[in-house]
Amino acid sequence: MEATTALWSFALVVGLLTLTPGLDTALILRTSALGHRARAWGVVLGIQTGTLIWGAFTSLGVTALLTASRLAYDVLRWAGALYLLWMGIKMLRATFRRGAAADEGADEGATAGQDSFLAGWRQGTFTNLLNPKAGAFYVAVLPQFLPAGGDHHLAMGLLLTSEHIVLGLIWSTVLIAFARLLREQLRRPRARRVLDRITGTVIAAFGVRLAMSG
């Protein structure tokens, strides 16, 4: 496949993937809607860091272990499922705390001091890297767009992955802008609790789904 054709074709595939609502969308919307601008961009760049690592590892052939080894896939799958369940349950549990402390603490960072870019980056990175389906997607799809001769696999793989990252950043910018329009309404204590219960349920559901997937 010629490089230009590969770039356009891969852009179409990952563009559709990027627009599909999922865990990444839920995390970005929730974090940004609560006014955590630095943390929201940390989540975004963490997710894209994970994407870059998956793309690089796939180009080097490392992530082929996920499809070749059932044990490697299952270990990563269970680690990811437990992480998502922990994150979702933690978010849900905070919303049921009673008193003024609950209203201040329900959003894991209502105060400016907790609006941490680094904390968001860690959350986004772990969420992406502990999802074996992200690696499996790259193992299944990316090699189809690499040169057949085996030359320049890493360079082409990184170029295609960068294309995915750019599309992800553009879409994340749209999501953050949309969420900021609703920020004032969603920062009210009752609205925060509702938002966290929805997001926590979605995240925990993704964890259950990942644990039950084969």
Side-chain angles (χ1 to χ4, degrees), residues 22-24 26-27 76-92 108 122-133 199-213:
L23 178 60
D24 294 348
L27 282 175
L76 188 58
R77 177 169 64 89
W78 280 106
L82 290 174
Y83 175 71
L84 293 178
L85 284 170
W86 171 80
M87 187 164 55
I89 292 172
K90 180 182 177 182
M91 197 177 296
L92 286 169
E108 298 178 39
R122 286 197 301 265
Q123 186 180 47
T125 303
F126 285 140
T127 300
N128 189 286
L129 289 181
L130 289 176
N131 182 4
K133 291 190 175 182
T199 309
T201 300
V202 169
I203 291 173
F206 270 103
V208 173
R209 180 181 177 186
L210 185 59
M212 296 180 66
S213 64

Side-chain angles (χ1 to χ4, degrees), residues 2-178:
E2 295 183 359
T4 303
T5 303
L7 287 171
W8 281 107
S9 301
F10 190 72
L12 177 61
V13 172
V14 296
L16 292 173
L17 177 67
T18 300
L19 293 174
T20 303
L23 178 60
D24 294 348
T25 302
L27 282 175
I28 294 169
L29 283 175
R30 181 258 178 187
T31 308
S32 182
L34 293 175
H36 307 162
R37 185 173 184 179
R39 189 179 182 114
W41 280 111
V43 170
V44 169
L45 294 181
I47 291 169
Q48 302 313 324
T49 298
T51 299
L52 179 62
I53 292 173
W54 282 124
F57 279 8
T58 301
S59 302
L60 292 171
V62 175
T63 50
L65 289 172
L66 289 177
T67 55
S69 170
R70 178 73 182 187
L71 177 61
Y73 184 89
D74 282 344
V75 168
L76 188 58
R77 177 169 64 89
W78 280 106
L82 290 174
Y83 175 71
L84 293 178
L85 284 170
W86 171 80
M87 187 164 55
I89 292 172
K90 180 182 177 182
M91 197 177 296
L92 286 169
R93 187 176 61 181
T95 67
F96 289 100
R97 292 174 186 163
R98 295 293 184 262
D103 290 339
E104 292 300 323
D107 61 291
E108 298 178 39
T111 64
Q114 293 175 306
D115 185 13
S116 169
F117 175 89
L118 183 59
W121 180 84
R122 286 197 301 265
Q123 186 180 47
T125 303
F126 285 140
T127 300
N128 189 286
L129 289 181
L130 289 176
N131 182 4
K133 291 190 175 182
F137 168 81
Y138 264 85
V139 170
V141 175
L142 188 63
Q144 300 180 43
F145 298 89
L146 297 178
D151 298 327
H152 311 298
H153 269 196
L154 180 58
M156 187 61 180
L158 291 177
L159 180 59
L160 292 169
T161 303
S162 298
E163 189 175 45
H164 189 185
I165 290 172
V166 169
L167 291 173
L169 290 173
I170 293 172
W171 180 236
S172 296
T173 302
V174 173
L175 292 176
I176 290 175
F178 172 74

